[in-house]
Amino acid sequence: MFGYLQIDKAELKVREYEAYKSVYCGLCKQLGRDYSIFARFALSYDCTFYAITLMSLRRSCSGFKDGRCRFNPLKKCKYARCEDDCYSKAAALTVISVYYKLCDDISDSGFFKALAVRLIKPFFSRWRKKAAKRYPELDIIVRDMLNYQIAVEQKDKPSLDEAAHPTAYMLAEIMKSEGKTESDARVLYECGYHLGRWVYLMDAADDYEKDKKRGNFNPFLSVETDALHEYMGAVLSQSLARAYDAYNLLNLYDFKGILDNMMLFGFPLRQNSVLSDQREVRNEQSI
């Protein structure tokens, strides 16, 4: 995952922010329980969003309990209780995603960076096997996405739609599996697809200058326009708008206020931040 699926803390109610942190801490705790204390370093905002979405769709949160941070025992925190496997499934997706991201980094990176990645890959390889045994469908979806992505990026100037499709399809399939009816599955697929597309294109926009300098693949590099910044913004906003249209059709219960905040404020805030940073870099280069 990429870390773009964040809240806008300033727009959240205090109790909603405390609830968000309780899920974040609960997922961290689950990563340690299922895999290792070191697996907690893989904790991400994206998989926290996934855990909150699952818990909201299933209405599986049974309250909160006080505890202490596993990294800092002096720090008190709350944990959201979950009656089913939402945390376990989100933790599995976390280690599976990181493992395949490491595989991709090894093939794309220089010698020294690839060497560092190879040192930590065996740990994630072991955790990924454990996660895949419990959730084989997640492993298959993420693995197929990576293979598909590699094939697309080897094409001669693939379009934005082609480049973003593997990640979009991956999140669509993951979300679709939570649908209790055919109608629910279709809505979840649509929401997941456009949200996954937005995440991929956000990463491409964020890495544009770096990829341009290093000669790495980036779908925006093949776009011919004098208003690239505006083009990026329009493409990203379109994906986010279509994801929100589908999101509004979902039957959400607990944590809906938090999810509304992410869709309406958090994601656009991250988008504006990334585009502003890229504009500043290009302005500096033109001076």
Side-chain angles (χ1 to χ4, degrees), residues 5-8 12 16-17 19-20 23 45-58 175 188 191 195 240 243-244 247-248 250-268:
L5 303 181
Q6 299 183 22
I7 59 169
D8 180 0
L12 269 180
E16 290 175 335
Y17 179 62
Y20 177 80
V23 176
Y45 293 119
D46 295 344
C47 285
T48 303
F49 168 78
Y50 180 56
I52 289 176
T53 302
L54 292 183
M55 293 169 72
S56 187
L57 286 168
R58 300 178 183 181
M175 294 284 283
L188 285 164
C191 181
L195 198 55
L240 206 52
Y244 183 68
Y247 168 82
N248 274 329
L250 296 175
N251 294 314
L252 299 168
Y253 303 96
D254 304 323
F255 307 122
K256 187 177 186 303
I258 298 173
L259 293 170
D260 285 349
N261 172 277
M262 298 176 88
M263 293 294 299
L264 288 171
F265 301 106
F267 302 165

Side-chain angles (χ1 to χ4, degrees), residues 6-277:
Q6 299 183 22
I7 59 169
D8 180 0
K9 181 181 176 181
E11 294 292 339
L12 269 180
K13 297 177 181 177
V14 174
R15 61 179 174 81
E16 290 175 335
Y17 179 62
E18 291 300 319
Y20 177 80
K21 289 198 301 181
S22 74
V23 176
Y24 186 86
C25 293
L27 179 54
C28 179
K29 184 178 181 180
Q30 191 71 43
L31 280 164
R33 181 186 295 121
D34 289 353
Y35 303 103
S36 163
I37 186 174
F38 299 109
R40 292 184 175 131
F41 288 104
L43 181 65
S44 70
Y45 293 119
D46 295 344
C47 285
T48 303
F49 168 78
Y50 180 56
I52 289 176
T53 302
L54 292 183
M55 293 169 72
S56 187
L57 286 168
R58 300 178 183 181
R59 206 165 197 175
S60 58
C61 180
S62 60
F64 305 88
K65 64 178 180 179
D66 294 326
R68 292 190 178 274
C69 177
R70 299 295 175 171
F71 282 114
N72 182 6
L74 298 178
K75 180 181 177 182
K76 294 182 179 180
C77 60
K78 288 185 179 293
Y79 296 98
R81 293 193 183 99
C82 185
E83 295 299 318
D84 55 23
D85 69 337
C86 293
Y87 280 142
S88 293
K89 197 168 186 180
L93 180 60
T94 299
V95 297
I96 289 171
S97 298
V98 172
Y99 169 77
Y100 285 111
K101 180 67 167 62
L102 292 175
C103 293
D104 187 47
D105 286 345
I106 288 174
S107 62
D108 290 344
S109 304
F111 174 78
F112 290 106
K113 183 177 179 181
L115 181 62
V117 172
R118 284 192 176 94
L119 292 176
I120 62 175
K121 182 184 173 183
F123 297 100
F124 280 95
S125 178
R126 183 169 65 252
W127 301 335
R128 172 245 148 200
K129 288 178 181 178
K130 184 177 179 180
K133 186 175 181 179
R134 185 169 185 183
Y135 299 102
E137 70 284 357
L138 288 180
D139 186 64
I140 292 170
I141 291 171
V142 179
R143 181 197 64 200
D144 289 350
M145 179 278 295
L146 179 61
N147 292 333
Y148 192 5
Q149 191 72 58
I150 292 172
V152 168
E153 294 182 3
Q154 289 176 343
K155 291 185 177 181
D156 183 27
K157 294 184 178 180
S159 67
L160 285 178
D161 288 337
E162 286 182 296
H165 179 71
T167 302
Y169 182 74
M170 175 193 72
L171 191 54
E173 286 294 313
I174 290 173
M175 294 284 283
K176 175 185 174 182
S177 65
E178 293 302 314
K180 295 180 180 179
T181 66
E182 183 178 346
S183 177
D184 288 343
R186 189 158 54 244
V187 173
L188 285 164
Y189 181 95
E190 187 76 7
C191 181
Y193 187 90
H194 293 291
L195 198 55
R197 185 178 191 271
W198 179 80
V199 166
Y200 176 84
L201 294 176
M202 273 283 288
D203 188 57
D206 201 7
D207 290 344
Y208 178 81
E209 293 298 335
K210 180 180 68 176
D211 290 338
K212 182 179 180 180
K213 181 179 180 180
R214 297 178 180 178
N216 295 337
F217 172 83
N218 190 303
F220 285 116
L221 288 172
S222 61
V223 175
E224 297 179 1
T225 177
D226 294 330
L228 182 61
H229 181 272
E230 290 74 13
Y231 179 81
M232 286 179 175
V235 169
L236 289 167
S237 295
Q238 181 190 45
S239 291
L240 206 52
R242 295 191 66 177
Y244 183 68
D245 287 342
Y247 168 82
N248 274 329
L249 299 176
L250 296 175
N251 294 314
L252 299 168
Y253 303 96
D254 304 323
F255 307 122
K256 187 177 186 303
I258 298 173
L259 293 170
D260 285 349
N261 172 277
M262 298 176 88
M263 293 294 299
L264 288 171
F265 301 106
F267 302 165
L269 183 66
R270 282 295 292 131
Q271 177 178 313
N272 292 337
S273 176
V274 166
L275 293 179
S276 295
D277 289 345

